[in-house]
């Protein structure tokens, strides 16, 4: 064994296990007073419906429906489909209640459909200023809605929370969840617990300080707010726990935001009356910048339990002390009750980005087991005595020599897992990926605040030293999805299916002993949940990221999934996905046994990449443009200016004329499409340096004989 140096012994408070002394007794009085429609009972016992994002408060995403099962799933066909009015990534799980299917769309739009026929009932558009997309790190996606009483709730990318009438889609109330003058984004689904609408936010890549807010479901009145990281001590602390947390930070972290945004996972246990929050990465990513003398930096990359009615802290477990790699613990949280080593336990489980699968006692926060579900290089194991990961010292060395596994996409990202109480297994849509993390002070000097490299750190997905032609195979080698079945009682793997593509799709399990998953190549599949055998697949014409769900109407079971390639995985990685011709066809598809529906024929054509006869920029300008491109453009338009297929590939035409570049990139001529202008953020000269860089990549692509397939008219 290599000698391990623990670089994390800084900070006065041990992050590992700070457990509360007691748990609150069940409080269901708020539920009893809830209006007609969706109540706590609806979400606890949904039967054939799917009234909450994870179906139930425990977020297991498992349905007891079994009319579609291993014997007959081969006969499943399309019942109906609805093309969606968007070309951006679709990550939402639909909800089903009282015969209606509710689906959120990019930007925070929402639609309702007749769940049996597919007829559109309404379409809500929050009228987001599309230029707000400049603050979205990872596409303008939205992962879902919440239902309570007769209301439906959705949050828009610009940080507003909307209460809509389930019947009409009309706005009942709206609040702006942002602190004034901050650039938060919301992509996650609200939850409603004890009559309170719970919502977090994203933006740790842009310098945010994370928090979770609870609003009265009837009025939108703010009831409590829990900050996940401390602010400037000079301003006072919002709670005693933040004073404790501040002891694990140093320097002037608040100037960098601190991070800890809770952008996806929540779970609720009405018996303990605790709300569990998945907390995100630090801001800046680079701990050397945000907390120069180290420290755990609570509560970044932690699971935090708070009292649902008040937001008061109860316990936390930090998965990645002093996070340095964007290892969020925002990933799906699942609650279950099970026998662990002879003792009945109320557990909470998570497979966060860092590659470890954690099982904790959710009453006390005690760590029960932790083992890596994917190969990792940043740590060797979790020390069960301290509850802390034992890091590989090279992982913080900022070395071009050391490949950190996993990279910032994580060994598992937002793609929902599922826990099947029949098989006793948790299924993880995992991914292999890696990155080099280096300190880059050229970028620090620029003082930009939205940046894939984010303040004084570069993350090099595929280093420049590797010739372009070799990148796709390397990427395939280091980046591939794996479907894993794992037993949380023993924290042992039961089976795994290596999948050829580099990013995953969300999961659904059912008591038909089935596991459903879509993939980015455009297939929707059903597996035997016991052994992983593939039993059925359906070609969907476009990549799927979102998790499927299932429901029953008039005694008939349906399986629904929203497709629409994009998001964090979809936008930046055209270099990897491009050759496979990924497309965004945003569409809700609903299947049933003997469904006879058919998808439309979609025309396609081939285009050859051409470098037109215009002068190219100087090498200096190309180099300057490359850095700027990495800060402003890469998240949407892709590394090496290769688009992943849903955002325009700049090399095919746009970059060619000076006038078009100025009109669109500088002046914002396509603002209504979601392409913000950068005047005021960059000089015209800098904008044109980006053009020079894109023109340079165009020339290289043309020399490679690059071509693409374009779908649609
Ligand atoms: Ca992040």
């Amino acid at each position: 064994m290599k000698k391990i140096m623990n670089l994390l012994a800084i900070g006065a408070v041990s992050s590992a296990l700070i457990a509360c002394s007691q748990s609150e007794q069940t409080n269901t009085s708020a539920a009893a007073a809830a209006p007609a429609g969706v109540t706590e009972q609806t979400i606890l016992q949904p039967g054939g419906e799917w009234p909450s994002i994870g179906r139930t408060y425990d977020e297991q995403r498992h349905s007891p429906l079994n009319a579609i099962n291993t014997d007959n799933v081969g006969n499943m066909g399309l019942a109906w489909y609805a093309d969606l009015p968007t070309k951006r990534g679709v990550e939402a799980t639909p909800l089903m209640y009282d015969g209606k299917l509710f689906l959120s769309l990019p930007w925070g739009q929402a639609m309702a459909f007749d769940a049996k026929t597919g007829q559109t009932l309404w379409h809500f558009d929050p009228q987001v200023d599309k230029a707000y997309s400049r603050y979205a790190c990872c596409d303008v996606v939205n992962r879902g809605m919440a239902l309570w009483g007769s209301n439906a709730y959705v949050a828009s990318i610009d940080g507003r929370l909307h209460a809509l009438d389930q019947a009409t889609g009309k706005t009942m109330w709206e609040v702006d969840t942002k602190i004034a003058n901050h650039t938060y984004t919301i992509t996650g689904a609200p939850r409603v617990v004890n009559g309170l609408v719970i919502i977090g936010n994203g933006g740790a890549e842009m310098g945010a300080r994370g928090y979770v807010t609870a609003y009265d479901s009837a009025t939108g009145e703010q009831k409590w707010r829990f900050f996940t990281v401390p602010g400037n001590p000079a301003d006072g602390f919002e709670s005693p726990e933040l004073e404790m947390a501040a002891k694990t930070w140093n320097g002037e972290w608040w100037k960098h935001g601190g991070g800890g945004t809770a952008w996806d996972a929540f779970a609720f246990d009405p018996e303990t009356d605790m709300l569990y929050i998945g907390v995100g990465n630090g801001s800046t990513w680079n701990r050397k910048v945000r907390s120069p003398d180290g420290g755990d930096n609570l509560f970044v990359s932690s699971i935090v339990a708070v009292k649902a009615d008040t937001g008061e802290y109860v316990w936390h477990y930090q998965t990645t002390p002093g996070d340095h790699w964007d290892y969020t613990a925002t990933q799906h949280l699942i609650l279950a009750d099970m026998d662990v080593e002879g003792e009945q336990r109320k557990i909470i489980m998570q497979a966060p980005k860092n590659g470890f699968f954690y099982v904790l006692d959710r009453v006390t926060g005690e760590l029960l087991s932790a083992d890596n579900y994917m190969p990792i290089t940043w740590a060797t194991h979790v020390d069960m005595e301290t509850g802390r990961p034992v890091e590989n010292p090279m992982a913080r060395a900022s070395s071009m020599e050391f490949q950190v596994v996993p990279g910032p996409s994580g060994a598992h990202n937002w793609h929902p897992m599922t826990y099947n109480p029949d098989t006793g297994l948790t299924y993880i849509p995992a991914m292999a990926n890696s990155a080099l993390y280096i300190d880059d002070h050229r970028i620090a000097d620029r003082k930009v605040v939205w940046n894939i490299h984010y303040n004084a750190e570069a993350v090099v997905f595929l280093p420049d030293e590797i010739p372009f032609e070799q990148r796709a195979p390397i990427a395939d080698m280091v980046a591939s999805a794996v479907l894993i079945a794992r037993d949380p009682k023993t924290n042992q793997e039961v089976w795994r299916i290596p999948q050829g593509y580099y990013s995953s799709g969300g999961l659904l399990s059912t008591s038909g002993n089935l596991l459903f998953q879509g993939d980015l190549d455009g297939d929707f599949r059903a597996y035997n949940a016991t052994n992983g055998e593939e039993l059925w697949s359906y070609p969907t014409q476009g990549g799927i990221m979102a998790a499927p769900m299932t429901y029953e109407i008039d005694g008939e079971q349906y399986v629904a999934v929203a497709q629409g390639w994009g998001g964090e995985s979809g936008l930046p990685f055209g270099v990897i996905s491009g050759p496979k011709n990924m497309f965004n066809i945003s569409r809700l598809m609903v299947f049933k046994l003997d469904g006879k529906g058919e998808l439309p024929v979609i025309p396609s054509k081939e285009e050859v990449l051409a470098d037109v006869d215009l002068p190219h920029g100087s090498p200096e300008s190309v180099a300057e443009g490359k850095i700027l491109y990495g800060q402003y453009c890469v998240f949407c338009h892709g590394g090496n200016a290769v688009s992943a297929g849903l955002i325009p590939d700049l090399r095919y035409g746009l970059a060619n004329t000076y006038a078009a570049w100025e009109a669109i990139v500088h002046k914002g001529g396509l603002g209504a499409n979601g392409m913000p202008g950068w005047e005021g953020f960059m000089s015209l000269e800098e904008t044109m340096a980006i053009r020079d860089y894109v023109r340079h990549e165009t020339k290289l692509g043309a020399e490679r004989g690059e071509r693409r397939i374009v779908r649609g008219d």
Side-chain angles (χ1 to χ4, degrees):
M1 279 287 284
K2 211 189 285 184
K3 188 181 170 221
I4 300 301
M5 226 168 68
N6 189 343
L7 298 180
L8 286 169
I10 305 166
V13 179
S14 160
S15 73
L17 294 171
I18 297 177
C20 75
S21 53
Q22 61 175 57
S23 64
E24 288 292 291
Q25 290 306 302
T26 305
N27 175 3
T28 51
S29 56
V38 174
T39 64
E40 178 172 285
Q41 195 54 35
T42 314
I43 298 175
L44 289 171
Q45 299 282 343
E49 298 184 314
W50 191 290
S52 183
I53 182 82
R55 185 174 172 273
T56 39
Y57 279 129
D58 54 25
E59 307 267 331
Q60 292 182 356
R61 289 178 175 264
H62 174 86
S63 169
L65 296 179
N66 60 9
I68 300 171
N69 53 55
T70 51
D71 290 336
N72 60 19
V73 68
N75 300 328
M76 207 166 79
L78 192 64
W80 57 265
Y81 73 90
D83 283 330
L84 304 173
T86 177
K87 289 182 175 173
R88 303 297 285 262
V90 178
E91 297 185 351
T93 307
L95 305 182
M96 188 277 185
Y97 174 71
D98 195 24
K100 296 185 189 69
L101 210 50
F102 301 90
L103 178 71
S104 66
L105 305 177
W107 306 102
Q109 297 185 38
M111 294 181 78
F113 302 88
D114 181 308
K116 190 168 178 174
T117 66
Q119 184 198 347
T120 300
L121 303 176
W122 51 258
H123 175 203
F124 165 75
D125 185 344
Q127 302 290 334
V128 173
D129 174 0
K130 298 293 192 290
Y132 204 83
S133 63
R134 65 162 64 91
Y135 305 117
C137 74
C138 311
D139 204 353
V140 292
V141 294
N142 189 286
R143 282 181 294 278
M145 304 174 68
L147 304 175
W148 192 259
S150 58
N151 281 355
Y153 303 89
V154 68
S156 47
I157 191 79
D158 58 2
R160 288 176 296 150
L161 176 64
H162 311 265
L164 312 175
D165 178 30
Q166 284 173 21
T168 64
K170 296 234 160 42
T171 299
M172 307 302 289
W173 53 258
E174 173 192 317
V175 293
D176 190 343
T177 74
K178 298 190 296 296
I179 297 170
N181 303 319
H182 280 271
T183 54
Y184 289 91
T185 49
I186 302 182
T187 57
R191 312 300 200 272
V192 186
V193 302
N194 296 352
L196 302 176
V197 188
I198 309 292
I199 190 74
N201 49 46
E205 273 62 51
M206 319 288 159
R209 177 189 178 203
Y211 55 85
V212 175
T213 317
Y215 297 93
D216 184 302
S217 58
T219 64
E221 185 195 348
Q222 182 177 322
K223 292 296 187 183
W224 56 257
R225 174 165 284 171
F226 177 82
F227 283 92
T228 55
V229 296
N232 185 348
D235 298 335
F237 295 107
E238 290 85 353
S239 72
E241 293 72 34
L242 288 171
E243 188 170 4
M244 174 269 283
K247 293 177 176 134
T248 68
W249 294 76
N250 53 74
E252 295 179 309
W253 71 87
W254 57 91
K255 291 186 174 171
H256 304 282
T261 47
W263 52 262
D264 196 48
F266 296 93
F268 172 57
D269 181 350
E271 288 180 24
T272 63
D273 209 30
M274 287 185 211
L275 176 76
Y276 303 95
I277 304 170
V279 181
N281 56 279
S283 170
T284 60
W285 283 9
N286 191 338
R287 190 180 63 171
K288 295 169 198 169
V289 174
R290 68 169 194 265
S291 185
D293 292 328
D296 288 348
N297 297 174
L298 292 172
F299 299 101
V300 303
S301 304
S302 300
I303 301 168
V304 178
V306 302
K307 293 181 187 172
D309 287 329
T310 61
E312 289 169 86
Y313 168 93
V314 184
W315 61 257
H316 80 276
Y317 174 77
Q318 191 174 39
T319 60
T320 310
D323 167 51
H324 191 70
W325 310 275
D326 192 20
Y327 286 167
T328 64
T330 43
Q331 281 57 48
H332 190 179
L333 295 164
I334 296 182
L335 313 184
D337 297 345
M338 62 181 63
D339 196 290
V340 181
E341 293 185 349
E343 202 176 332
Q344 189 66 19
R345 293 277 197 170
K346 293 165 78 68
I347 69 160
I348 182 168
M349 51 188 137
Q350 189 187 44
K353 279 187 182 180
N354 75 12
F356 288 106
F357 185 78
Y358 296 92
V359 179
L360 293 96
D361 183 311
R362 70 174 177 272
V363 180
T364 63
E366 180 193 352
L367 179 66
L368 300 178
S369 65
D371 205 353
N372 58 308
Y373 59 94
M374 287 293 284
I376 59 173
T377 64
W378 75 278
T380 56
H381 64 286
V382 172
D383 180 335
M384 290 303 291
E385 293 277 303
T386 63
R388 300 175 70 94
V390 178
E391 287 186 23
N392 183 329
M394 283 299 287
R396 291 182 194 266
S398 296
S399 165
M400 288 295 281
E401 310 301 314
F402 187 76
Q403 199 138 32
V404 178
V405 180
S409 289
H412 168 227
N413 204 314
W414 61 271
H415 312 89
M417 309 191 294
T418 177
Y419 170 71
N420 181 335
D422 305 333
T423 62
L425 301 179
T426 304
Y427 302 88
I428 310 170
M431 305 180 292
N433 57 71
S434 66
L436 308 174
Y437 294 77
I438 59 169
D439 303 332
D440 189 334
H441 295 283
R442 290 171 307 175
I443 290 162
D445 293 343
R446 290 180 176 275
K447 297 192 174 26
V448 294
V449 290
W450 53 92
N451 185 350
I452 192 169
H453 305 290
Y454 192 58
N455 278 7
E457 181 185 46
V459 174
V460 186
F461 292 99
L462 295 167
D464 288 346
E465 288 74 9
I466 299 174
F468 189 95
E469 315 74 65
Q470 292 174 20
R471 290 181 184 193
I474 286 170
D476 276 347
M477 201 168 63
V478 299
S480 63
V482 187
L483 178 57
I484 295 172
R486 200 168 178 91
D487 185 344
K489 289 185 287 298
T490 59
N491 213 328
Q492 296 292 307
E493 185 170 310
V494 177
W495 52 258
R496 70 166 47 203
I497 302 172
Q499 300 171 311
Y501 27 86
Y502 75 95
S503 186
S504 269
L507 296 172
L508 159 72
S509 67
T510 71
S511 289
N513 199 29
L514 292 171
L515 189 61
F516 291 93
Q517 185 185 35
D519 70 35
L520 62 79
D521 279 350
D523 282 299
F524 184 44
R525 301 171 201 276
Y527 299 93
N528 180 314
T530 304
N531 58 25
E533 181 192 353
E534 185 178 317
L535 301 175
W536 173 87
S537 77
Y538 187 91
T540 59
Q541 302 182 332
I544 300 173
M545 306 182 286
M549 51 77 80
T550 187
Y551 57 91
E552 185 184 69
I553 297 182
D554 297 339
E556 197 161 26
Q557 185 183 355
Y558 297 80
V559 176
V561 68
Q563 81 171 31
W565 177 235
E568 174 272 341
S569 303
L571 291 185
F573 298 114
V575 169
I576 303 173
S577 66
K580 292 185 176 173
N581 294 309
M582 239 57 70
F583 304 100
N584 175 286
I585 297 171
S586 293
R587 177 182 286 158
L588 176 60
M589 288 173 299
V590 177
F591 299 85
K592 65 175 185 176
L593 290 178
D594 302 316
K596 297 284 187 275
E598 284 182 27
L599 295 176
V601 174
I602 298 178
S604 64
K605 61 186 179 210
E606 190 176 77
E607 269 185 88
V608 176
L609 180 58
D611 183 27
V612 299
D613 187 18
L614 287 170
H616 281 274
S618 68
E620 293 75 25
S621 182
V622 169
E624 164 89 356
K626 180 177 180 169
I627 291 175
L628 290 164
Y629 182 91
Q631 293 165 358
Y632 295 93
C633 318
V634 71
F635 264 128
C636 290
H637 290 280
N640 292 87
V642 181
S643 165
L646 65 155
I647 297 280
D649 191 311
L650 300 175
R651 303 166 307 154
Y652 284 82
L654 178 63
N656 288 330
T657 77
Y658 186 101
W661 193 268
E662 180 176 8
I664 296 169
V665 183
H666 203 59
K667 299 282 188 189
L670 292 179
N673 294 9
M675 168 62 199
W678 295 93
E679 188 174 25
F681 295 83
M682 273 183 281
S683 67
L684 182 59
E685 193 182 25
E686 287 177 312
T687 314
M688 287 303 162
I690 298 177
R691 172 176 176 257
D692 286 339
Y693 167 64
V694 173
R695 294 266 297 124
H696 174 71
E697 290 287 356
T698 308
K699 178 165 166 283
L700 297 178
E703 285 168 7
R704 290 193 298 271
E706 209 175 300
R707 56 195 62 225
R708 65 172 179 176
I709 294 180
V710 182
R711 281 203 194 175
D713 302 319

